[in-house]
Amino acid sequence: ARQHTEPERHARTMSALFDFKSFLVTLLLFICTCTYVKMKAPRLVDPYRTGLRGMFWKAARIGERLSPWVAASCLIMAFYTLFGA
């Protein structure tokens, strides 16, 4: 049996917050999800909320105002995830 080195052990248990590519994918999915929820059920995403629900509104606003850029970023990340390193 092969012994795993210390970096290999940590690489398998790494959170999405510590891996930049995974962080970007998580952030893009969060923005897209918040925008979709705001379009389907606008009462759930209130601009006057603070805290976590306020963050949902901010992410939805980014998705609405920068939708071509968010869509292009999603496509680039999809190709990078499928065909990249």
Side-chain angles (χ1 to χ4, degrees):
R2 182 174 165 243
Q3 292 287 333
H4 293 290
T5 62
E6 193 67 26
E8 287 177 347
R9 254 185 257 138
H10 289 298
R12 286 185 284 139
T13 61
M14 193 179 292
S15 170
L17 298 177
F18 299 114
D19 182 25
F20 188 67
K21 179 184 158 233
S22 298
F23 175 72
L24 285 178
V25 169
T26 305
L27 184 66
L28 284 171
L29 287 174
F30 179 71
I31 290 171
C32 292
T33 302
C34 289
T35 305
Y36 179 78
V37 168
K38 186 171 187 259
M39 285 202 234
K40 293 295 182 182
R43 289 178 44 156
L44 293 177
V45 184
D46 186 11
Y48 302 109
R49 293 284 185 177
T50 57
L52 189 62
R53 288 188 65 188
M55 193 169 66
F56 291 151
W57 179 80
K58 288 176 186 176
R61 179 62 69 179
I62 289 170
E64 289 172 348
R65 294 205 176 165
L66 299 175
S67 60
W69 293 102
V70 172
S73 299
C74 286
L75 287 173
I76 290 168
M77 287 305 292
F79 280 110
Y80 183 76
T81 301
L82 291 174
F83 305 114

